[in-house]
Structure formats: structure tokens, C-alpha cells
Amino acid sequence: MKQNLILLYTIVFLQGMVFYGPVAVLYRQAAGITVFQMTLIEGVSLVLTVGLEIPWGILAEKIGYRSTMVTCCIVFFISKIIFWQAVDFAGFFTERVLLAVVSAGLSGCDTALLYRSCRGEDTHWVFSLYSGLGLAGLLCSSCLYTLVVGENFRLAGLLTVFSYGLAALASLGLREVGEPEEEKEKKAPEKRSPVKAFRAALWNPRLLLLLVAAALMEQTNWAVTVVLNQLQYQRSGLEVSAMGVILAGVSLVGLLGVFSKKLTGRLGILGAGELLFALTGGSCILLAVTAQPVVSILGIAVVSGAGALFTPLQTELQNRQVKTSQRATELSIQSAFLNGAGALVSVAFGRAAEGSVPGAFLLGAACCVLGGLLYGVWCGKMRYKADNVH
């Protein structure tokens, strides 16, 4: 349904407008939160997300994807109000708890609704555009941060509240979409069962290889572009006022995600994935050995671009592993595994960053090497070719 696609694109754009993004780490540090505490909160949030993923997936199948999206967008809005007002560990922790609720609810549900709304046609392009628009929102908010906000961190938090409020309003216009008939015909008749969905999602060692590889890529990208970037900029001697412009530029590079399908079509699933792991890992090594400003900005931009190109490919591959009609449940189970693995990696990055920023970047490089190996093994077992992704 075209209306759903437009609204989902609008929602992800507005939720991408995180005005405090350029100074997210400094924002928390100004309230007395250490880097390790930040990653600890993130790790706990991911663990909570894991615990809520499967219940949310089952609930989404019962109440519908539309109701799930609306509920999550409203809770997301509330979480940003709490973040704006947070002044201590408890406040920021509460915000991440609510974010865990939202992440668990949205994961699988938003992409499942996208998949059904486009009737399974040209899904790789739809997922690429969806991911790109989230980065476009971040790009716009980063530019506005530089022009309007400056070093007023709390104003950045308030503007983010407004953006997420508009996203919650937009979600009210979504419509429920049933599974396409052709998809039903491909799947054997079955009784809806969480056990069957669990077996289909994770009772497959080959799929676990893909999920672990994806988790390593996701967390490395998150650590470099959200936490370590600002620490690297400080290490390079860059001013806080310049960080909005830098994030805008890095976000612009992230829009390369819309070309994910073309990259995969040209290099194949194996070639595209391995290239993105190599670019991310190589950039981490470069960032570890130098603090030169231009090199630092370029290295972080490459990581952002590689992550943006990998996300739609990952989403496409995960959706193609769904074996039952319980799409949201299966994707939620996959996401639970991803977040569980990610929680461990997140805390490891935090501990490494407390010791030294270069050490944290080297950890990112190691994650990419391991992730690339696992991804290569998965591709070899699946024997996928470029024409498997449409």
C-alpha cells in the first residue's frame, strides 16, 4: 500500500532527526555519565530488548503490525521527553529501558509491514530507501544543530522531542496489511506457534553464522559512529561547534545505503558483504593509529557508509530466511539473537574505550575480521548468487 510506504518513510525520517546526535556522548558527559556507564546502559538495554523481542513478536501477530507500530512510536516519543529532562544516571537509564521496549517492538514489525506493504516487490530497494531516509533525517538535524543549536545541549534534546512527537502522529495514519496470497501459497499450512517460529528462525546453524556476523558489524558501526567518533574528534583537537557540520557530512555519506542493491548486483552477496567488512575493519585500524583530523573524519565517514550499505542487504537476507507465515515473530527472534550478541560486544567496546580510544578501534577491527570470516562461511554454505536478491 502506497500510503503505508509514504508514512513509514516519513516516520523513519522524523525519528532520524536526533538533534543531539552530534554531541550525544558529550551531552551525557555533561550530566556526569562516563563512557563506560554509557556502554553499560546500552548493554543492559540490549539485554532487555532480547527479553522483550519474542513476546513483542508474538503480540504483534495478534494485535497487528499497525497497532504495534503506533504503540512503539508513542513510547519512543515519551522516551525522548525523559532524555531531554534527564540529569543523572537514573534518568538516562530509564530512557534506555523505554528504548528497549520500543526496539523490541519495532524490530521485525517495521520491516514486516514494509515487506507486506510493497507486496514483496523490489524489497531490497524499499529497505535501502527506508534506511537512507533515517540517515537523511539525521543529516537535516545535524545541519540545523550547527545553524541553530550550537552548544545548547538541552535545546537539542527539546527539538528531538518535537520530531518524535510528529512521528507518533504520523503513525496513526498507518493501515494494517495482510500477507500476500502468493506468500501464503509458498508456506505449508500451519498452526501459528511460537515454538515453530523459533525453530524456523534459529534452529539453523547456518543462519546463526549470518546473525553473529551481522551483530559484529552492527556493534562496530554503532561504537565508531555514535560513541568513539566524538572521542576521536576531541583527540584530534576539533571544536565542539564543528561536530554538527562533521556529523552532517558523515550522514550524507550514509545515504549511500540507497545504492546497496546496485552494489550487491555488481559484486554479488559474498563480494559486497566482504568488501564492507574490509572497509570497516581497515578504517578502524586507520583510526587507531592516527588522530589527524581529516583522516579521522574520513575514516568515520567510511565506517558510516559501509554500515549504511550493509544494513539493507542484511535486512533483505534476514527476511528471505523467514520460513513460516509468522514473519514478525521470526524476525523478532532473529533480532533477539542479534541484540544478545550485540550486548556483549557493546560492553566490551565501553571497557576498551575507558582504557584507550585506539584500543577500542582495534577491537572494532578484530570484530570485522571475525565477522567477515563468519559471513564468508555463511555465503559459502548458502551458495547465494547476486540474482538471489531482487
Side-chain angles (χ1 to χ4, degrees), residues 273-289:
E274 294 292 24
L275 173 64
L276 298 176
F277 274 106
L279 286 173
T280 303
S283 296
C284 285
I285 293 174
L286 187 64
L287 291 165
V289 299

Side-chain angles (χ1 to χ4, degrees), residues 338-351:
L338 278 168
N339 288 326
L344 298 175
V345 180
S346 173
V347 174
F349 269 111
R351 181 58 71 185

Side-chain angles (χ1 to χ4, degrees), residues 307-354:
L309 287 164
F310 186 79
T311 297
L313 173 59
Q314 173 192 336
T315 304
E316 172 75 7
L317 295 177
Q318 285 185 239
N319 269 274
R320 288 183 175 274
Q321 308 310 304
V322 174
K323 304 301 182 184
T324 74
S325 62
Q326 301 174 82
R327 180 170 298 276
T329 303
E330 279 199 53
L331 291 174
S332 291
I333 292 169
Q334 290 182 21
S335 185
F337 184 87
L338 278 168
N339 288 326
L344 298 175
V345 180
S346 173
V347 174
F349 269 111
R351 181 58 71 185
E354 288 282 289

Side-chain angles (χ1 to χ4, degrees), residues 207-246:
L207 175 58
L208 296 183
L209 291 174
L210 172 64
L211 296 179
V212 173
L216 291 168
M217 172 64 94
E218 280 186 359
Q219 288 305 308
T220 299
N221 188 270
W222 172 81
V224 172
T225 61
V226 176
V227 177
L228 300 176
N229 60 339
Q230 292 161 46
L231 300 178
Q232 179 74 358
Y233 297 150
Q234 283 188 322
R235 182 174 166 233
S236 302
L238 293 168
E239 298 293 332
V240 172
S241 58
M243 293 185 186
V245 176
I246 295 170

